[in-house]
Amino acid sequence: KQGKRVYELAKELGLKSQNLMDIMQELGIPAKSTLSVVDAESASLISDYVNELKHKAKEQKEELESIPDNITLVEFCAHFGVPIEEVREKIMKFGLPYKPSYRYSRQEVHYLAQELGLKVPPFLDEEFKKRFVKRAPVVTVMGHVDHGKTTLLDTIRKTNVAAREKGQITQAIGASTVRIHGEDIIFIDTPGHEAFTEMRLRGSLVTDIVILVVAADEGVKEQTIESLNHAKAARVPIIVAVNKVDKPGADPEMVKHQLADRGLLPEEWGGQTVYVLVSAKTGQGIQDLLEIIRLQADLLDLKTNPNTIASGTVIESKIDKNVGPLATVIVQTGTLKVGTYLRAGNTVGKIRFLKDTFGKNVSLSPAVSAVEIAGLEEIPEAGEIFYELSGIEEMREEKEKIEEAKKKAKEEGRVPKTLEDLLKEM
Ligand code: GDP
Ligand code: MG
């Protein structure tokens, strides 16, 4: 049998000559030009290989087409056989919006399935992937009461503002956006008295990293252990901030020993946990702590899509006697804007204004950010999810649904269900 020229073989196989030459290179049978002659044996080897590639590509295409398109989250869970709680906890962290009526495109379904570690072909759509940009980490500060969580966050926020404005930060806020060397970090404070179930809910929905604050003079206490258990349950990395090292009785080594016994073996002892010695009072070690958070966040490779519908988590809420209900939220996907219609937990509203961490009015707040919103009709509960509505029509519909659910609950003598409860039942 006679040999063939590269361009002839390419034509037979339905390939461009250049592509065939690339394949030949891969196979270790390089050709000098498209006119080069390939011997019969090599040609058959090459055809077999090309046919195998084609077969695989066809299979992959079929597999991709079997991924459902235009489905809700409930349908997604049914299709892949995963519990909705599991997906609910993670979806916004991956940068996909959370909304029960939202219909996810095939690409979104594919992307989500891959992020969840489900068995799907590799995700190859680079154009789609480009929509997901690097996002700020959400860092929750936990620990025993009086160990210095709020002071630590105050100190971090103060390193972040001009000296003349420092006096303005007096009030403790549940969530804040802090810009360090041009990159944002979102911090969540956790008051010690708070019910831990609620904490856990918020924690797992938003938190990427936990900072466990332990006072070096007191060491591990009851709520330190509780916090640790919640952090472990949320399966997120834990950084230990050994605080109050300025105090005479400070004993950081004691803290390390106490926590090493509980699964947080320090790096310097061959473990995995980073301990940073800090003083929220003097500012010692704060830069190191921020640096460690940055490094940890980079390892997590966090991404979101700021150009989809807005969704996120409510961190705290209150009634202001002048402006009415206010809620501090973390925007996890999309962008909140003045005028956006929202459902948040069991209430709805249209955003009247947005205030950033420093009380400044902003017209928009893209994912991921902490922001205070005014315009909801009632105060949503901490830990509830919020999501964007398409307009006044949908807001009316949602309001009706909420009223109906409340009425039904009342008739049946039950406490009105939260959005969370309703979602669990779906
Ligand atoms: P939280 O309950 O964990 O939020 O604790 P706070 O931030 O409210 O702090 C409790 C007390 O500890 C306050 O009186 C703080 O001034 C004090 N404190 C916090 N951090 C430090 C520190 O690094 N050194 C010293 N000496 N005192 C601190
Ligand atoms: Mg506090």
Side-chain angles (χ1 to χ4, degrees):
K1 247 164 84 182
Q2 273 229 312
K4 286 173 196 145
R5 295 191 189 277
V6 171
Y7 76 90
E8 290 171 324
L9 186 58
K11 202 172 169 195
E12 262 177 40
L13 293 169
L15 291 175
K16 285 200 179 106
S17 297
Q18 187 53 52
N19 290 348
L20 183 61
M21 281 174 58
D22 290 344
I23 289 170
M24 288 171 70
Q25 180 84 38
E26 244 178 76
L27 285 172
I29 321 168
K32 280 207 178 73
S33 82
T34 57
L35 292 175
S36 305
V37 176
V38 187
D39 65 61
E41 201 187 328
S42 299
S44 115
L45 206 116
I46 294 163
S47 333
D48 285 353
Y49 183 72
V50 168
N51 286 329
E52 198 186 317
L53 281 184
K54 279 187 184 166
H55 181 70
K56 273 196 190 143
K58 189 167 164 257
E59 264 183 0
Q60 205 174 63
K61 192 164 167 259
E62 280 165 7
E63 232 181 314
L64 281 175
E65 279 163 4
S66 76
I67 293 174
D69 187 17
N70 201 30
I71 57 168
T72 64
L73 201 56
V74 171
E75 287 163 354
F76 176 95
C77 292
H79 179 87
F80 288 100
V82 284
I84 187 136
E85 300 83 58
E86 206 175 286
V87 182
R88 218 158 33 93
E89 281 196 0
K90 292 179 185 155
I91 185 162
M92 292 185 293
K93 283 191 186 176
F94 296 145
L96 286 177
Y98 181 96
K99 183 176 176 181
S101 65
Y102 183 79
R103 294 193 165 272
Y104 299 86
S105 70
R106 175 171 290 146
Q107 285 160 316
E108 286 176 317
V109 169
H110 190 186
Y111 176 82
L112 178 59
Q114 200 199 21
E115 292 294 311
L116 288 167
L118 300 169
K119 210 187 144 281
V120 282
F123 193 88
L124 300 168
D125 192 334
E126 290 306 318
E127 280 306 308
F128 179 82
K129 266 195 178 159
K130 276 185 202 149
R131 296 181 199 170
F132 293 79
V133 296
K134 187 177 177 182
R135 70 166 173 88
V138 179
V139 178
T140 300
V141 182
M142 294 178 145
H144 196 70
V145 65
D146 283 343
H147 278 197
K149 300 179 289 294
T150 303
T151 312
L152 182 71
L153 286 180
D154 262 356
T155 306
I156 290 171
R157 278 195 294 265
K158 280 173 189 160
T159 61
N160 185 235
V161 287
R164 63 187 159 76
E165 293 173 43
K166 278 184 186 172
Q168 288 175 10
I169 311 161
T170 43
Q171 152 200 33
I173 13 182
S176 38
T177 306
V178 181
R179 176 153 287 203
I180 317 264
H181 306 308
E183 291 195 78
D184 286 347
I185 301 177
I186 316 300
F187 286 99
I188 301 180
D189 194 3
T190 58
H193 57 264
E194 190 163 4
F196 270 102
T197 45
E198 186 183 277
M199 260 303 312
R200 206 186 132 186
L201 182 65
R202 311 185 197 185
S204 55
L205 287 173
V206 281
T207 305
D208 299 305
I209 297 167
V210 163
I211 305 285
L212 185 62
V213 175
V214 190
D217 57 338
E218 284 198 3
V220 171
K221 292 279 189 186
E222 194 189 325
Q223 286 160 28
T224 315
I225 308 289
E226 277 177 48
S227 302
L228 179 55
N229 291 338
H230 288 287
K232 279 183 185 165
R235 276 164 294 167
V236 296
I238 302 167
I239 298 167
V240 181
V242 182
N243 191 31
K244 305 198 187 185
V245 293
D246 61 287
K247 279 188 132 183
D251 187 355
E253 290 301 299
M254 167 188 72
V255 176
K256 287 183 190 174
H257 277 286
Q258 290 173 328
L259 288 176
D261 292 343
R262 294 183 165 87
L264 296 183
L265 195 65
E267 263 187 333
E268 55 274 30
W269 299 356
Q272 303 267 318
T273 309
V274 179
Y275 284 68
V276 191
L277 308 193
V278 299
S279 166
K281 194 178 167 188
T282 68
Q284 181 193 332
I286 301 294
Q287 288 308 325
D288 295 339
L289 179 62
L290 294 172
E291 189 65 24
I292 297 293
I293 293 171
R294 198 69 260 164
L295 286 171
Q296 183 61 257
D298 284 344
L299 283 177
L300 295 174
D301 191 25
L302 305 164
K303 297 218 158 28
T304 192
N305 179 2
N307 297 312
T308 184
I309 62 166
S311 61
T313 307
V314 177
I315 300 302
E316 64 183 7
S317 57
K318 63 179 181 204
I319 301 258
D320 181 284
K321 58 180 190 306
N322 297 315
V323 287
L326 285 174
T328 303
V329 304
I330 294 186
V331 188
Q332 292 173 266
T333 69
T335 300
L336 278 188
K337 302 178 186 86
V338 172
T340 301
Y341 290 90
L342 285 185
R343 172 165 178 171
N346 270 337
T347 189
V348 293
K350 181 184 177 184
I351 297 182
R352 268 169 46 215
F353 63 74
L354 293 160
K355 275 187 196 296
D356 72 7
T357 296
F358 302 102
K360 211 179 94 205
N361 273 294
V362 289
S363 56
L364 42 91
S365 197
V368 170
S369 54
V371 72
E372 189 176 52
I373 61 175
L376 291 171
E377 295 183 357
E378 288 170 44
I379 51 168
E381 272 178 56
E384 296 271 24
I385 290 165
F386 75 82
Y387 47 82
E388 185 175 343
L389 305 173
S390 56
I392 197 156
E393 274 305 308
E394 195 181 13
M395 184 170 86
R396 286 199 187 115
E397 283 165 25
E398 289 292 313
K399 201 176 164 178
E400 242 165 65
K401 278 187 215 159
I402 295 166
E403 294 305 326
E404 257 168 50
K406 279 186 183 165
K407 212 174 109 197
K408 199 160 164 246
K410 208 173 164 193
E411 280 165 11
E412 290 168 13
R414 289 183 281 112
V415 261
K417 287 192 175 180
T418 64
L419 180 61
E420 284 303 312
D421 293 330
L422 294 173
L423 291 169
K424 269 175 211 151
E425 286 172 11
M426 286 193 323

